[in-house]
Amino acid sequence: PHPFSHSAMNMRNANTANDAERLEQLQHKPIGRLLWQYSLPAVVGMLVMQLYNIVDRIFIGQVVGPEAIAGLAITFPVMNIATALGTLVGAGAAARVSLFLGASQENKAQRILGNALVLTLVIGAIYIGLFAWKMDEVLCLFGANEVTLPYARDFMMYILPGLMLTNLTFSFNNVMRASGYPRRAMMTMIIGAVVNVVLDPLFIIVFDWGIAGAAIATDIAMAVSAVFVMAHFVRKDVTLPMRRGTFGLKWNIVWAIISIGSAPAVVN
């Protein structure tokens, strides 16, 4: 046999052993240690995510002006709605995946994963389309006036397409953590935040794109995070890889996801 065939076989065996060990830890490791192991990276990731808003406000307020900050604030309710809809799928899918992996039912967990992807894309397409169609009306409903509306509109025009990437990142970051990769899930958030911190001054100050530059920087940062998190699930050496034949929406699976994810979605 070719020497590389032995190397590939050994690597597959090692990956299989690691997956089995990871699932074994989730099933039998003391709950206190698991809570610390999984909650700490989650908290760090969430804190890092706040850098998006902080950095945007710093550069917009210092460079563009107070009217731009007011326009940016008008968009926060829209962003909260987008986050809530991402949580609806992400939290529900993560909980269902955990249950099935704990019961050693990997096939059912993969069906949850496939349906969660399609559900995220469908919900994202619907609300992004509605916001784009009624953008000015929605922004005025949240308090925009003739001074702040142009800034809010400029930001929303560029951030709307990126909201799909935001939902993919948030939703599947939860599933990544639930399937046994808390540190990798934390890195997903950190990578995007670092990209945003680097691009914000470049686009807002150097390129002089104003509030639109902040939105574009966020879109690119979310694209990097989305690629990172989705690349995890197309690998074959992870606990829960994506599999063909799992993307057809099933009502019972969709309901199982939404019934759990609705509570954190409403809180958002």
Side-chain angles (χ1 to χ4, degrees):
H2 196 280
F4 286 118
S5 64
H6 290 293
S7 176
M9 184 177 299
N10 291 335
M11 185 175 296
R12 284 196 297 269
N13 291 336
N15 291 331
T16 302
N18 290 335
D19 291 344
E21 181 182 356
R22 185 173 282 107
L23 291 176
E24 183 75 12
Q25 288 181 354
L26 287 172
Q27 292 173 349
H28 301 293
K29 198 172 183 178
I31 293 177
R33 293 175 62 186
L34 280 174
L35 282 174
W36 180 258
Q37 179 182 345
Y38 279 76
S39 63
L40 182 60
V43 171
V44 171
M46 292 164 64
L47 289 173
V48 169
M49 283 303 300
Q50 297 308 310
L51 287 175
Y52 281 91
N53 290 332
I54 294 172
V55 172
D56 284 349
R57 279 180 280 186
I58 289 173
F59 286 105
I60 290 174
Q62 296 295 326
V63 178
V64 185
E67 293 85 1
I69 280 287
L72 180 65
I74 296 298
T75 68
F76 285 169
V78 178
M79 304 295 288
N80 285 346
I81 292 172
T83 301
L85 292 173
T87 303
L88 176 69
V89 179
R96 299 301 298 181
V97 161
S98 295
L99 289 171
F100 286 128
L101 288 179
S104 299
Q105 296 178 331
E106 287 80 5
N107 289 337
K108 290 185 177 181
Q110 286 177 327
R111 289 192 176 278
I112 293 290
L113 184 67
N115 272 239
L117 175 60
V118 176
L119 194 59
T120 299
L121 296 176
V122 169
I123 292 176
I126 292 173
Y127 80 74
I128 289 173
L130 289 175
F131 281 147
W133 178 38
K134 293 290 185 179
M135 184 183 301
D136 284 5
E137 289 89 339
V138 170
L139 294 174
C140 288
L141 178 67
F142 289 134
N145 56 32
E146 64 276 3
V147 176
T148 58
L149 181 60
Y151 293 102
R153 186 193 298 119
D154 284 350
F155 186 80
M156 288 303 302
M157 283 181 61
Y158 289 96
I159 205 68
L160 270 179
L163 292 181
M164 181 74 77
L165 300 170
T166 302
N167 284 167
L168 285 173
T169 300
F170 285 162
S171 295
F172 286 87
N173 182 269
N174 287 330
V175 179
M176 181 190 293
R177 186 182 305 111
S179 60
Y181 298 87
R183 291 183 181 179
R184 192 174 295 179
M186 179 180 67
M187 288 304 301
T188 300
M189 299 300 190
I190 292 176
I191 289 172
V194 170
V195 172
N196 188 60
V197 169
V198 172
L199 293 182
D200 255 353
L202 179 65
F203 290 169
I204 297 173
I205 300 175
V206 178
F207 292 173
D208 195 24
W209 289 352
I211 195 170
I216 296 171
T218 301
D219 286 342
I220 295 174
M222 279 300 171
V224 172
S225 291
V227 169
F228 185 86
V229 72
M230 297 312 296
H232 167 86
F233 290 103
V234 300
R235 294 171 55 178
K236 295 182 179 180
D237 61 341
V238 296
T239 304
L240 186 66
M242 285 190 176
R243 183 171 58 85
R244 291 182 180 180
T246 61
F247 302 107
L249 289 178
K250 303 291 184 182
W251 169 246
N252 61 322
I253 297 178
V254 171
W255 174 248
I257 293 173
I258 292 177
S259 62
I260 295 178
S262 58
V266 170
V267 170
N268 274 276

